[in-house]
Amino acid sequence: MKFTRKRTFLVAVAMCIGAAIALADRAESTPQDVFDAMRGSFQPAKARSVHARYQWDLSGPHGGEWWIEVNDGTYKMGKGQIDHPNVTFRASDKDWVAICHDQLSGTWAYLTGRLKVSGDQNVARKLGEMFP
């Protein structure tokens, strides 16, 4: 069980790395900034034959709901809820941004309950490959 949890934490951090680098020069960023930066990091070749839905539920003043749907090398991204997500991430807006900027360990956030990940762990791991 620990091994699966560790890989889940790494996925949360890995999928934010590209976004964190793109936002490194900004003093304050929001979850929307992170999702906007993820758009530029999508790797269609890594998403071939992938059909997955991801949901983020972030609390706080800049929080909200975001989703990504991946279908065979393409993706759609938006705000709000998506039906039947394969994976759901829950955190505060500040914690999610801190994880994406590598200012908060995804493992630590998960172990302390600041990051909650539910759903298919294999699908969660795939997100970091598609959005490096």
Side-chain angles (χ1 to χ4, degrees):
M1 185 75 151
K2 272 187 172 180
F3 184 69
T4 301
R5 285 185 183 169
K6 257 187 178 174
R7 290 192 325 199
T8 299
F9 311 134
L10 294 175
V11 167
V13 172
M15 67 185 198
C16 295
I17 289 174
I21 291 169
L23 297 172
D25 294 332
R26 298 178 82 165
E28 290 283 325
S29 64
T30 66
Q32 185 63 58
D33 296 328
V34 171
F35 287 105
D36 290 345
M38 286 175 70
R39 291 179 189 276
S41 69
F42 182 66
Q43 301 292 310
K46 301 283 186 175
R48 299 253 185 264
S49 73
V50 175
H51 301 278
R53 295 172 174 216
Y54 300 91
Q55 177 74 50
W56 285 263
D57 296 328
L58 305 178
S59 61
H62 297 287
E65 297 173 322
W66 285 265
W67 56 267
I68 295 176
E69 181 177 21
V70 177
N71 282 308
D72 195 24
T74 65
Y75 79 97
K76 295 178 187 175
M77 180 184 290
K79 287 195 80 166
Q81 292 185 348
I82 193 165
D83 291 332
H84 311 294
N86 300 93
V87 178
T88 301
F89 300 95
R90 290 183 177 85
S92 74
D93 56 351
K94 289 181 181 184
D95 284 346
W96 183 253
V97 170
I99 290 167
C100 292
H101 286 305
D102 205 24
Q103 297 168 340
L104 173 63
S105 161
T107 303
W108 181 251
Y110 186 84
L111 290 173
T112 59
R114 293 167 68 176
L115 170 65
K116 295 180 173 129
V117 181
S118 59
D120 187 322
Q121 300 303 306
N122 290 325
V123 173
R125 281 189 292 279
K126 192 73 175 160
L127 186 64
E129 295 172 20
M130 296 181 295
F131 294 89

